[in-house]
Amino acid sequence: MGLTKQYLAYRPVSSFNIIASSRANISFISVNNIDGRYVVVAAAEKVLVWNMRVGDKVAEFSRDKQEVTFLRASPDHKHLAVGFADGVVEMFSFESKQSVCSFAAHRSAVSALNFDLLGLKLVSGGLDNDVVVLDVVAQTGRCRLTGHTAPVTQVCFMQRYPDVIVSSSKDTQIKFWNVETQCCFKTIVDHRTEVWGIVLMRNDDFLVCGSADTQLSVYRIAPNLDESKPIQATEEQLPEDESTVSPFRCTAIGSIQRAGHGRTINLVSDANGQVLGCNGTDKQIELFYFTPLDEAVQKLTKRLKKLNTKKSTETTDSQKDADIRQLSLTDEIRRLSSIPTPDKVKSFDLLLGSQSELRICCTFLKNFVELFSLDMNVKKAEPMPIYSIHKQGHSSEARSVSFSSDSLAIASGSAESLKLWNRSSQTVLRTIETDGYVVSTCFVPGDRHVLVGLKGGQLLIVDIVAGEVLERIEAHEKEIWSIVLTPDMHGCVTGGGDMTVKFWSFELIASSDRPEVKVLSLLHKNTLKLEETVLCVRISPNGKYLAVALLDTTVKIFFLDSLKFYLSLYGHKLPVLTMDISYDSNLIVTGSADRTIKIWGMDFGDCHRSLLAHDNTVTALQFIPQTHMFFSCSKDGKLKQWDADNFQKIVTLPSHLGEAHALAVSPNGKFVVSCGSDRTLRLFHRTDEPLVLQDVQEEEREELENAALATGEDSAVAGLPGLRLPSKKTIGSEKGAESILECLEVSKQYEEEGGKGALPPLMFAYSVTNTDEFLLTVLARVRASDLEESLLLLPFSAVCELLERIPQLTTTRKDQTELICKVVLFLFRVHQKPIVNNQVLLPVIQKIIRTLQEAIGELRDMIGTNFHASQMLQRELEENDGCVLFRDATKLRSQRDRRRKKREANKRTFVNMAK
């Protein structure tokens, strides 16, 4: 048996260029008790925290390859809830920068997230039409609310009624849910088009809804008291009487006419519900201020005086109530100055400070973030832009990348500019406006200049040091799809969409400004005319051949010196978009739109092998210098490494979240960079870690097998067809069920042998000494969010065996009473009918009830004793020492109470903003 060929592994270094994704939202966060300066945004599969003042990245959170779709910071600003495209909600800690817990909540992307007032519960809405309530403390789901028939657009908790959730959907309905009863008790069906957003304003006094028209619907929410009901109810009012079900009345009181055009895209309020912001499809953000009740009454009084209404100078309570009933939207809502934005807004967030300063942070489609400030104390104040982050990335998708000869710099081109990046720090060195769409780039020998090919046929010579365009040459009539240097480094060759290949030589000419200074220029030497559009050009390293890929699916090879025809490579079914020639000029590899890569010999033009390489068009490929290995990327987003000698795929690197447009391999072969439609540049480096081909293939096969659930997607139990758990089946839940079954089997065999002798290897691995500890350790290691799904996968025989072990487990391990109760209650709820009909389990159930009640009673007594004993010790110490224990905690508690009272009184929380 021969030696196995080994390779060196390429690992991801970083992804850069992206400032903020357009799919997810933006949110203000507090860092070191500083508000108004830091924002959190999504960047493809990562979450970034930006310091808007200095434009630096403060923190970064990442999970895996899934795209981030929604963000929400907890009320105490200690945790960040992140929703992903696969339906998972991940909780990150700002302090540790690590994941705290994970919820597999939805079967498709998460579209909305919101915490309750205390941050103990989290509600999420998804594109699977469901609303899921999650318990942050227990790290499990509480319930799944189903009723919408289209994707959910927004969900939020009510402050006055903590167990009530309001949700909106594209099915044109707004639903009110009760978490305790898990049912919808009220539905608003007034809208004829999709509801794109809802906001609760002024401590749940108003519900504002945005739909596909240019109006915002406003509903008043009032307690459902008997005295507030009308004395005479008409026939039309009778069906709306929901006092027996709903604790409040929600009545439409009018609408707000937006100045913008198109549908409402975002509807956002500040933390206290006083300022409302909305934007449509145009370039502006409209702001509305919901005045406090006293201010609204004063405004009404002034308005009535202007109408010469007879009114006494002393206002009684009855008169004030009459005024409140006469309040209109014009009295309670004031329009603020709109914010004109430089581009279409994708998302924004509001923060209202103590000095009536309103800050608005926005993300835009063109990959930049901007922060505005508005002084609400000044009449007709104009919003002012404060900070902006836009130079750290391209405004559009990067279409071309290339490495400098020393592998230290990376050039990337997009629709409007060329950027030079520092490879080690991934920071921008230069940004040069090109005034054209960049489709190809190439470094000039010496790395002081870059050649840039534009879609309009212009060839730019860019000076890196000065950061300016030296010369703009009308090289081709159409796109310059390819630029390649000649082997002698004295010139370059360009291929364009005008069916020509042009040869250029470098020369130094006198500058027009300073004749004594020489600047680089290009001299046109020769032109090769062809019958079809040129898509790619390559020159063999030995300087003999010129390969040209044409639109007619062929690759024609010419002698470089005489330009005489040499070979034609025919075999692709669709045009060849990219190709490369090996360092020894023996192999040429072509990638086509037909998803295949073909390896050809340069001597006879024979096809060595045709590889079905990707699932979509192959967009770029390049050999690793001094090897026969090459990288390829495709519109399927994947980046793959291949061996052209044995025609094997070596490895698939972490892919883009969309199409991959281009790639470049560094001249030293240690680095690879790629660009794609997710606006990221992804950098990989070669490690010293050996990579065995067979091992990599086995890992990829295992990953594909693990990605598919062995037990199916649905959670099904016999007799419970409508089971809707607040979680979904995952690989973790299947592994948890396997570990529980394995534990029961090993424990049974060990007990049958008398429980003596050597421990089984599995028990030894878990560092346990008996079967009770073994079972508890296995149950505790199953993730809290996966525990119910794992128990659901157990067969009924295993459930019976597990229940038989519970009494002994409860008696020996009273410290795990909470976990045991959780397991027992779920099994009883799910398998109620089979357990009731099983007479053998009757004595076991009776014993479980008795032992669990005793354990819970002891736990309750112990907690109560410790609590009151600590209070007694505190009182004694305070009396003896004359000091107050836990002074800081008392202060914090009193501050929380004051904030709560102020919120109830519709007063603004003081926020210290940092300039």
Side-chain angles (χ1 to χ4, degrees), residues 254-422:
S255 61
I256 303 173
Q257 180 65 44
R258 292 194 298 111
H261 303 289
R263 71 171 180 88
T264 303
I265 295 179
N266 294 297
L267 206 58
V268 181
S269 71
D270 66 312
N272 297 304
Q274 290 189 291
V275 180
L276 171 68
C278 69
N279 74 290
T281 56
D282 51 354
K283 299 179 182 180
Q284 68 172 336
I285 298 175
E286 298 177 63
L287 300 173
F288 304 92
Y289 179 64
F290 283 70
T291 60
L293 188 60
D294 296 339
E295 188 178 336
V297 171
Q298 292 178 2
K299 193 173 181 180
L300 173 64
T301 306
K302 291 180 181 178
R303 185 164 58 86
L304 293 177
K305 284 182 178 179
K306 288 182 179 179
L307 295 175
N308 296 325
T309 304
K310 293 181 180 180
K311 200 168 186 64
S312 62
T313 56
E314 296 181 359
T315 306
T316 61
D317 292 339
S318 60
Q319 288 174 332
K320 187 173 182 180
D321 292 340
D323 288 347
I324 293 175
R325 286 195 296 269
Q326 293 177 10
L327 285 174
S328 64
L329 283 181
T330 56
D331 300 321
E332 298 187 280
I333 301 176
R334 174 160 55 92
R335 186 185 292 268
L336 302 177
S337 300
S338 297
I339 302 176
T341 57
D343 197 61
K344 289 185 178 180
V345 179
K346 296 304 294 183
S347 69
F348 68 95
D349 195 19
L350 306 175
L351 184 64
L352 188 58
S354 58
Q355 305 300 324
S356 294
E357 181 191 2
L358 180 67
R359 289 199 175 181
I360 307 99
C361 60
C362 312
T363 62
F364 300 89
L365 184 64
K366 290 188 176 180
N367 191 30
F368 68 98
V369 181
E370 196 157 0
L371 182 64
F372 298 89
S373 176
L374 177 65
D375 190 354
M376 296 181 59
N377 286 332
V378 180
K379 265 194 171 183
K380 297 182 180 180
E382 292 297 326
M384 299 293 294
I386 309 177
Y387 308 120
S388 177
I389 301 176
H390 64 278
K391 292 184 178 180
Q392 287 84 340
H394 286 285
S395 299
S396 58
E397 301 172 7
R399 287 286 177 173
S400 176
V401 287
S402 58
F403 267 102
S404 61
S405 61
D406 55 6
S407 305
L408 295 178
I410 300 171
S412 62
S414 65
E416 73 291 327
S417 64
L418 175 78
K419 285 186 181 289
L420 276 299
W421 304 84
N422 185 327

Side-chain angles (χ1 to χ4, degrees), residues 164-179:
V164 177
I165 291 173
V166 191
S167 65
S168 63
S169 170
K170 291 184 181 180
D171 61 2
T172 73
Q173 296 179 357
I174 300 171
K175 290 182 179 291
F176 293 82
W177 309 83
N178 191 318
V179 178

Side-chain angles (χ1 to χ4, degrees), residues 139-197:
Q139 299 184 4
T140 57
R142 288 194 59 180
C143 59
R144 182 182 295 272
L145 308 174
T146 57
H148 285 293
T149 58
V152 177
T153 56
Q154 187 58 272
V155 286
C156 55
F157 281 97
M158 297 189 71
Q159 294 185 9
R160 292 182 182 174
Y161 309 95
D163 290 330
V164 177
I165 291 173
V166 191
S167 65
S168 63
S169 170
K170 291 184 181 180
D171 61 2
T172 73
Q173 296 179 357
I174 300 171
K175 290 182 179 291
F176 293 82
W177 309 83
N178 191 318
V179 178
E180 294 299 326
T181 60
Q182 300 182 18
C183 67
C184 172
F185 62 86
K186 191 177 186 65
T187 303
I188 298 176
V189 292
D190 296 347
H191 299 88
R192 295 181 179 272
T193 55
E194 299 93 344
V195 180
W196 290 98

Side-chain angles (χ1 to χ4, degrees), residues 42 207 241 302 313 451 667 791 912:
L207 174 68
D241 186 10
K302 291 180 181 178
T313 56
L451 299 179
L791 295 173
N912 294 321

Side-chain angles (χ1 to χ4, degrees), residues 359-532:
R359 289 199 175 181
I360 307 99
C361 60
C362 312
T363 62
F364 300 89
L365 184 64
K366 290 188 176 180
N367 191 30
F368 68 98
V369 181
E370 196 157 0
L371 182 64
F372 298 89
S373 176
L374 177 65
D375 190 354
M376 296 181 59
N377 286 332
V378 180
K379 265 194 171 183
K380 297 182 180 180
E382 292 297 326
M384 299 293 294
I386 309 177
Y387 308 120
S388 177
I389 301 176
H390 64 278
K391 292 184 178 180
Q392 287 84 340
H394 286 285
S395 299
S396 58
E397 301 172 7
R399 287 286 177 173
S400 176
V401 287
S402 58
F403 267 102
S404 61
S405 61
D406 55 6
S407 305
L408 295 178
I410 300 171
S412 62
S414 65
E416 73 291 327
S417 64
L418 175 78
K419 285 186 181 289
L420 276 299
W421 304 84
N422 185 327
R423 190 257 308 155
S424 58
S425 62
Q426 294 94 47
T427 56
V428 179
L429 301 176
R430 293 285 188 276
T431 300
I432 301 100
E433 299 296 329
T434 57
D435 296 330
Y437 199 110
V438 179
V439 293
S440 57
T441 55
C442 179
F443 273 89
V444 175
D447 296 335
R448 292 178 56 89
H449 301 84
V450 177
L451 299 179
V452 179
L454 301 184
K455 201 170 184 179
Q458 295 175 324
L459 183 60
L460 308 184
I461 304 175
V462 177
D463 188 344
I464 298 175
V465 179
E468 60 182 12
V469 179
L470 293 181
E471 190 176 359
R472 190 179 296 265
I473 304 170
E474 298 291 339
H476 292 266
E477 296 177 1
K478 292 184 179 180
E479 305 90 347
I480 302 178
W481 291 119
S482 185
I483 304 174
V484 61
L485 297 177
T486 55
D488 58 3
M489 300 297 175
H490 291 165
C492 66
V493 177
T494 59
D498 56 356
M499 299 183 290
T500 60
V501 175
K502 294 190 176 182
F503 298 82
W504 310 81
S505 65
F506 298 124
E507 63 173 8
L508 294 174
I509 62 173
S511 174
S512 58
D513 300 333
R514 299 172 60 188
E516 68 276 6
V517 178
K518 301 290 186 180
V519 295
L520 182 69
S521 181
L522 290 176
L523 177 64
H524 181 219
K525 294 177 61 179
N526 202 354
T527 300
L528 174 63
K529 293 185 179 180
L530 298 159
E531 298 82 13
E532 293 287 343

Side-chain angles (χ1 to χ4, degrees), residues 666-708:
S666 63
N668 59 12
K670 292 183 179 180
F671 299 94
V672 180
V673 66
S674 64
C675 61
S677 60
D678 57 359
R679 296 175 184 257
T680 60
L681 297 178
R682 297 177 185 266
L683 181 65
F684 306 87
H685 75 106
R686 188 176 64 202
T687 62
D688 295 331
E689 176 187 349
L691 203 66
V692 182
L693 197 59
Q694 288 78 3
D695 294 345
V696 174
Q697 293 173 351
E698 185 64 28
E699 289 176 3
E700 290 183 356
R701 275 197 297 269
E702 289 180 1
E703 187 177 349
L704 288 175
E705 291 174 359
N706 292 336

